[in-house]
Amino acid sequence: MRILQNRYNRNLQLVVLNTMDTRILTYIHFNHISSPHYLHPLRVSKHISRAVHCSTTSSSPSASVRASFHTPAVFTSPLFIQNHIPHHDSHPERPERIASILKAIQSHPILSSTSHLQLINIDPSRMTDNRRQFLLRQLEKVHDLEYIQDLESMCNRGTYQLDADTYLNKESYETALLAAECWIQSVHYTMESGQPSFALSRPPGHHAVKGSGMGFCLLNYAAMCARYIVDEYNQRVSILDWDVHHGNGTESIVQSDSRIQFVSTHQMPWYPGTGRPDFKGEHGTICNIALAAGCRFETEYRSIYENQVLPVLKSKEVPDFVIVSAGYDALRVDPLASIELEPNDFGIMTELLFESLGHSKVVFGLEGGYNLEGLAQAVASTLESCVVHNEKQSK
């Protein structure tokens, strides 16, 4: 599937991030392109306007993104649209999810301007062996090595089902690994710039447990990033999961780690059947808030969010860094649940989060959300609040 067709990309500037040991941030203008193009630097090299070389001798991956930008950022890749195709057209976790969000960003009067938002494309062809090994080391902190190896082997064999909901094909492992890179690069960007960022990737991750994938999810990116931040930066980390389904995988991985807080709002009873409010984890770092079907923002959800979620996030100390497992299946129009939020509600939640924290070191990572129009609008609302908050802080 082709993306960024000319009718959507007028005046859009992309940043292409080559994940090399010596990294290059390449600014590419798609203005006046006469035919559709993939988001790939080799195919649009004649449109390169300038390149900023960010060489580093440091072996630390945290040096891969320099805080050269003063705006929020979105990290993505064309492979999320081209690969990991479901076996049946009716499957809700499909490439069109990413395409619809990109279209909404490109047609948005604020988000389409690079003075407000950077859209950063990670070039998978530049993924070096060293970089892959780094990602695998991070994933091994939250997954069994045997499972990671089995996942790669199953994908190499072709079409496969992990469970009734979770499909695999030859590209699935590489797509999930690239999603892990998107999430990690988002962490680097936010850590060094202080700006919020969004990992626009698929498949989702918060249902993946230590030894298996499930519920559309193959690898758990939120848990991986949280463990990476506490290990490498020694900072307080909270995970806020606002997906309508409980992040059972994330909870199971981090509940024994006293350094990581996990807060979830989710419909209950509902898939996957976990998320009891009375479960607090080994160190009291788990907070599950159950929502009844039909819950609406102004009548119930906002009060829960302001009076329970946000206070719990900073109940001990304000976290230095927040990872949002940003699922958008709590929308009224979503086919997989029965909570009744509207797209603009997510923008309000984002702004309230920044105000409560007193900083914007927040990484949002796409989890669920399966109504294409509603998903695109809700992500755009989230990103618009990131931009508006940044502009307020800059004044």
Side-chain angles (χ1 to χ4, degrees):
M1 178 180 296
R2 291 184 173 184
I3 60 174
L4 286 183
Q5 296 189 12
N6 196 43
R7 66 182 181 273
Y8 300 136
N9 64 19
R10 293 188 301 273
N11 301 318
L12 177 65
Q13 182 189 65
L14 295 178
V15 180
V16 177
L17 175 61
N18 296 330
T19 53
M20 304 168 62
D21 288 339
T22 300
R23 291 155 180 94
I24 302 173
L25 296 180
T26 307
Y27 293 72
I28 297 181
H29 290 277
F30 283 85
N31 295 343
H32 311 301
I33 294 177
S34 58
S35 61
H37 288 267
Y38 293 107
L39 281 168
H40 195 293
L42 298 180
R43 299 181 184 176
V44 294
S45 58
K46 66 180 180 178
H47 299 286
I48 295 176
S49 58
R50 66 186 178 102
V52 180
H53 294 264
C54 299
S55 301
T56 175
T57 58
S58 170
S59 60
S60 170
S62 64
S64 63
V65 177
R66 298 300 184 189
S68 340
F69 309 124
H70 305 288
T71 67
V74 174
F75 286 78
T76 193
S77 170
L79 287 193
F80 301 132
I81 295 179
Q82 299 167 17
N83 290 348
H84 190 58
I85 310 297
H87 308 153
H88 305 287
D89 291 341
S90 60
H91 198 288
E93 206 300 284
R94 58 196 194 273
E96 289 85 352
R97 299 175 66 227
I98 303 296
S100 67
I101 295 168
L102 286 172
K103 179 180 175 182
I105 292 173
Q106 294 144 22
S107 61
H108 194 282
I110 296 175
L111 302 180
S112 59
S113 168
T114 55
S115 63
H116 297 300
L117 180 73
Q118 296 291 341
L119 184 59
I120 301 179
N121 178 49
I122 294 180
D123 177 10
S125 70
R126 302 292 186 173
M127 184 82 78
T128 65
D129 288 341
N130 286 342
R131 189 62 184 176
R132 290 174 66 88
Q133 290 305 312
F134 161 76
L135 289 172
L136 290 173
R137 287 195 300 273
Q138 307 317 310
L139 288 167
E140 287 171 26
K141 295 178 181 179
V142 297
H143 289 292
D144 294 334
L145 176 59
E146 182 180 5
Y147 166 63
I148 297 173
Q149 293 172 337
D150 286 348
L151 179 64
E152 183 177 18
S153 177
M154 286 185 288
C155 293
N156 288 338
R157 291 199 298 267
T159 300
Y160 193 84
Q161 288 285 143
L162 273 183
D163 60 24
D165 300 317
T166 311
Y167 63 88
L168 299 176
N169 52 44
K170 284 187 176 294
E171 301 88 10
S172 297
Y173 178 77
E174 293 300 323
T175 306
L177 199 62
L178 190 63
E181 173 74 349
C182 270
W183 282 65
I184 283 284
Q185 293 290 4
S186 296
V187 168
H188 294 159
Y189 186 95
T190 295
M191 189 66 73
E192 298 199 19
S193 70
Q195 295 290 337
S197 60
F198 198 111
L200 183 56
S201 63
R202 55 177 291 271
H206 72 150
H207 292 311
V209 297
K210 190 174 183 181
S212 178
M214 61 178 287
F216 309 163
C217 303
L218 307 183
L219 299 171
N220 199 305
Y221 318 116
M224 175 196 69
C225 288
R227 189 67 57 78
Y228 176 70
I229 292 168
V230 296
D231 286 347
E232 297 296 323
Y233 294 94
N234 194 30
Q235 293 198 357
R236 297 183 299 273
V237 179
S238 293
I239 300 171
L240 169 59
D241 189 329
W242 68 35
D243 191 282
V244 79
H245 303 99
H246 179 246
N248 61 301
T250 308
E251 179 188 87
S252 68
I253 291 169
V254 306
Q255 65 94 18
S256 61
D257 193 330
S258 62
R259 304 169 299 174
I260 300 171
Q261 182 189 43
F262 176 74
V263 181
S264 173
T265 57
H266 48 274
Q267 183 175 331
M268 191 173 185
W270 206 242
Y271 181 89
T274 54
R276 299 192 328 268
D278 61 343
F279 180 74
K280 304 299 180 183
E282 292 182 17
H283 304 281
T285 53
I286 305 298
C287 178
N288 288 313
I289 300 172
L291 306 173
C295 177
R296 296 183 178 183
F297 190 71
E298 290 302 335
T299 57
E300 298 168 79
Y301 195 105
R302 180 167 186 160
S303 176
I304 292 170
Y305 189 75
E306 289 189 283
N307 298 316
Q308 296 184 52
V309 174
L310 296 179
V312 165
L313 277 177
K314 54 183 186 178
S315 57
K316 295 182 179 178
E317 292 182 271
V318 176
D320 300 310
F321 204 105
V322 173
I323 297 166
V324 178
S325 277
Y328 295 91
D329 37 12
L331 287 166
R332 176 181 53 81
V333 295
D334 196 274
L336 297 190
S338 304
I339 303 300
E340 299 189 7
L341 301 189
E342 301 297 336
N344 288 341
D345 297 338
F346 288 93
I348 297 170
M349 290 156 57
T350 300
E351 181 59 30
L352 290 173
L353 176 62
F354 292 144
E355 291 176 358
S356 178
L357 293 173
H359 65 75
S360 51
K361 290 176 72 174
V362 180
V363 164
F364 301 83
L366 184 64
E367 299 283 5
Y370 304 102
N371 176 279
L372 298 183
E373 183 178 358
L375 169 65
Q377 292 174 357
V379 173
S381 182
T382 301
L383 292 171
E384 185 175 353
S385 287
C386 292
V387 170
V388 170
H389 178 79
N390 178 50
E391 291 182 345
K392 288 180 181 178
Q393 298 301 111
S394 301
K395 292 180 179 178

